[in-house]
Amino acid sequence: MAEIEAQFNFLFEPELLAEINEVAEVGTFEADTIIMEIGQRIDALPLIISGSIKVMSEDEKGNELLLYYLETGDTCAMTMQCCTGTKRSKIRALTEEVTTLAMVPAQKLHEWMIKYQSWRSFILENYDHRLSEMLEAIDNLAFHNMEERLYKYLRDKAMVTHSAEIKMTHYQIANDLNSSRVVISRLLKKLDQDGKVKHHRNLIEVCEFIK
Amino acid sequence: MAEIEAQFNFLFEPELLAEINEVAEVGTFEADTIIMEIGQRIDALPLIISGSIKVMSEDEKGNELLLYYLETGDTCAMTMQCCTGTKRSKIRALTEEVTTLAMVPAQKLHEWMIKYQSWRSFILENYDHRLSEMLEAIDNLAFHNMEERLYKYLRDKAMVTHSAEIKMTHYQIANDLNSSRVVISRLLKKLDQDGKVKHHRNLIEVCEFIK
DNA sequence: AAGTCGTTGTAACCTAGGTTACTGTTCAAT
DNA sequence: ATTGAACAGTAACCTAGGTTACAACGACTT
């Protein structure tokens, strides 16, 4: 498939690309589609060809928290967990926008670890990357107040969508940050007054990214 | 070395154990020794033979937070990051008690990925385990109040030390939880009244674990 | 035009937990 | 026995941020 090659040909050697093309099932999903649900079992590893995916955690009471985004060239480290054992997903993954995935059967994941240097590097680097992002999430929670977390959230969101304009309601933002709508409205007003964002109905602009 | 075999012979095949014995440098460290510091570069992977290690994060202002413990049979996933690239450590690792480590040169880490199935499993499972613990840390921070976090901390501490008695000051506990001494004293009093712990000077007993 | 629904602004209030300050206790050193 | 340092108890206070309530606004359907 042309898309796989376009995104992964700098990462993988030709033989591996050929194998991926052969066994991977490619699928395209609408925005806001749940790719993986908490408690779900899965036997394939998703490679993200285009689009982006939001990875969230949830507690018993249904409170949610955004962990990180996956983008082109990433894979879901949390899914690797499912593939290596018989464990169930601890996270929810949903598409942020229209997203194309290549699903690689779990068995191949292990075969390729032996065969291809580039695959080993890919898997290890992905784990590293995810650990770093988890650590970043922890530092955010532990060491920063809600205003700082909100601003960082808006910046990150602008970066994955490649746009200074964020089309979200205050309620949706509150949910990603495990906060409440009123608090987000309050802090957005403050960020607006401080000249960091401009906000309108259903739309927030991050000044830093306005061209 | 006899200790390596005793701890890892169920995990690794004999050939790999022999190789580890050959190249690993074994060292024993006092309690409260810093094994790895934030910003430090490292070119060897530590396998924990006995004892336990506390892994912490820190912000610019010096605030600290306990991430997780490493115990016998674990390795430091964050160190693997250093070994795979030229990255620097984002965490601090220090011994909780007298701890013996086998240091494996980074280069071997990659050779063994090709040669030994058991090594591949070991590395991947370790990454999985660490990701799970990071997720647990995030859930604790995001979804639980300080009283719950404190109680969980005490239980975890009792488990790694294999003792219902915890010899720590309130100040030390506060530091691990990124809180303050007064708050910990307040909450310990409450946990004591609720019959969950008994506390004395420099000593806390977790009722649940008292034989 | 009127009604409805999702969204936002804002005020009033509450609580967890951080901060400061002061007291008393234990224990080691002299 | 006296001093000093580390540790713990407690009160008084403050603030971030969560909660409830209500009004206003825009966008839509009828």
Side-chain angles (χ1 to χ4, degrees):
Chain A
M1 198 192 184
E3 282 165 332
I4 295 182
E5 296 203 9
Q7 296 304 339
F8 290 92
N9 64 350
F10 292 106
L11 223 45
F12 299 142
E13 53 251 72
E15 296 80 15
L16 176 52
L17 277 173
E19 282 211 55
I20 293 175
N21 264 315
E22 200 168 311
V23 300
E25 272 193 44
V26 176
T28 298
F29 301 87
E30 298 287 296
D32 295 309
T33 309
I34 294 178
I35 300 296
M36 166 139 51
E37 188 48 277
I38 293 164
Q40 191 178 318
R41 219 170 248 159
I42 202 163
D43 59 353
L45 183 76
L47 306 181
I48 290 136
I49 295 172
S50 70
S52 54
I53 287 179
K54 192 157 105 165
V55 176
M56 322 246 343
S57 179
E58 192 183 58
D59 75 352
E60 326 77 56
K61 293 165 216 138
N63 300 308
E64 288 190 294
L65 181 77
L66 170 67
L67 297 174
Y68 51 77
Y69 296 104
L70 299 172
E71 295 176 86
T72 300
D74 285 334
T75 186
C76 183
M78 286 290 186
T79 303
M80 293 200 255
Q81 226 170 351
C82 301
C83 295
T84 53
T86 50
K87 291 165 202 155
R88 288 162 181 279
S89 174
K90 288 171 182 151
I91 51 90
R92 171 177 303 134
L94 67 164
T95 56
E96 271 273 295
E97 54 193 314
V98 176
T99 298
T100 301
L101 301 177
M103 302 299 286
V104 174
Q107 187 211 338
K108 291 290 167 188
L109 192 159
H110 295 101
E111 282 181 35
W112 294 343
M113 288 290 282
I114 307 170
K115 261 171 104 176
Y116 300 109
Q117 171 58 38
S118 65
W119 183 255
R120 283 193 294 277
S121 297
F122 174 70
I123 295 294
L124 290 187
E125 271 167 34
N126 244 285
Y127 265 121
D128 282 346
H129 200 183
R130 240 36 72 191
L131 272 176
S132 291
E133 299 203 280
M134 296 286 269
L135 181 57
E136 199 180 318
I138 289 173
D139 286 353
N140 280 337
L141 283 167
F143 304 132
H144 298 287
N145 64 18
M146 193 52 80
E147 184 179 338
E148 292 167 321
R149 286 177 55 206
L150 172 59
Y151 187 57
K152 182 175 173 356
Y153 171 86
L154 294 172
R155 288 178 41 123
D156 284 354
K157 179 84 180 180
M159 293 213 278
V160 296
T161 59
H162 309 102
S163 160
E165 295 187 355
I166 297 168
K167 292 190 180 66
M168 288 183 84
T169 68
H170 299 182
Y171 178 82
Q172 289 171 316
I173 296 171
N175 196 51
D176 280 359
L177 291 170
N178 188 37
S179 178
S180 78
R181 200 271 307 165
V182 181
V183 172
I184 300 303
S185 296
R186 193 147 72 200
L187 293 174
L188 276 174
K189 185 186 174 189
K190 188 142 176 271
L191 287 175
D192 196 322
Q193 285 168 348
D194 292 352
K196 291 185 179 169
V197 306
K198 291 180 198 162
H199 75 309
H200 324 279
R201 191 181 177 81
N202 285 328
L203 178 69
I204 298 162
E205 290 177 279
V206 183
C207 294
E208 193 175 335
F209 294 126
I210 297 174
K211 294 178 208 75
Chain B
M1 198 193 184
E3 282 164 331
I4 296 182
E5 296 203 7
Q7 296 304 339
F8 289 91
N9 63 351
F10 293 107
L11 223 45
F12 299 142
E13 53 252 72
E15 296 80 16
L16 177 51
L17 276 174
E19 282 212 54
I20 293 176
N21 264 316
E22 201 169 311
V23 300
E25 273 193 45
V26 176
T28 298
F29 301 88
E30 298 287 296
D32 294 310
T33 309
I34 294 178
I35 300 295
M36 167 139 50
E37 188 48 277
I38 293 163
Q40 190 178 319
R41 220 170 248 158
I42 203 162
D43 58 353
L45 183 75
L47 306 181
I48 290 135
I49 295 173
S50 69
S52 54
I53 287 178
K54 192 157 105 165
V55 176
M56 321 246 342
S57 179
E58 191 184 58
D59 76 353
E60 326 77 57
K61 294 166 217 139
N63 299 307
E64 288 190 294
L65 182 77
L66 170 67
L67 297 174
Y68 51 77
Y69 295 104
L70 298 173
E71 295 175 86
T72 300
D74 286 334
T75 186
C76 182
M78 287 288 185
T79 304
M80 293 200 256
Q81 226 170 351
C82 301
C83 295
T84 53
T86 51
K87 292 164 202 154
R88 287 161 182 281
S89 175
K90 289 172 182 150
I91 52 90
R92 171 177 303 134
L94 67 164
T95 55
E96 271 272 295
E97 53 193 314
V98 177
T99 297
T100 302
L101 302 177
M103 303 298 286
V104 174
Q107 187 211 338
K108 291 289 167 188
L109 192 159
H110 295 101
E111 283 181 34
W112 294 343
M113 288 291 283
I114 307 170
K115 261 170 104 176
Y116 300 110
Q117 171 57 39
S118 64
W119 183 255
R120 283 193 295 276
S121 298
F122 174 71
I123 295 294
L124 289 187
E125 271 168 33
N126 244 285
Y127 265 121
D128 282 346
H129 199 182
R130 240 35 73 190
L131 272 176
S132 291
E133 300 203 278
M134 295 287 271
L135 181 57
E136 198 180 320
I138 289 174
D139 286 353
N140 280 336
L141 283 167
F143 304 132
H144 297 288
N145 64 19
M146 193 52 79
E147 183 179 338
E148 293 167 320
R149 287 176 56 207
L150 172 59
Y151 187 57
K152 181 173 173 1
Y153 171 86
L154 294 173
R155 287 177 40 120
D156 284 354
K157 179 83 180 181
M159 294 214 277
V160 295
T161 58
H162 309 101
S163 160
E165 295 188 354
I166 297 169
K167 290 189 183 66
M168 288 182 83
T169 67
H170 298 183
Y171 178 81
Q172 289 172 316
I173 296 172
N175 196 51
D176 281 358
L177 291 170
N178 188 37
S179 178
S180 78
R181 200 270 307 166
V182 181
V183 172
I184 299 303
S185 295
R186 193 147 71 200
L187 293 174
L188 276 174
K189 186 186 173 189
K190 188 143 176 272
L191 286 175
D192 196 322
Q193 284 168 349
D194 293 353
K196 292 185 179 169
V197 305
K198 291 181 199 162
H199 76 307
H200 324 278
R201 191 181 178 84
N202 285 328
L203 178 69
I204 299 161
E205 291 177 280
V206 183
C207 293
E208 194 175 334
F209 294 124
I210 297 174
K211 294 179 208 77

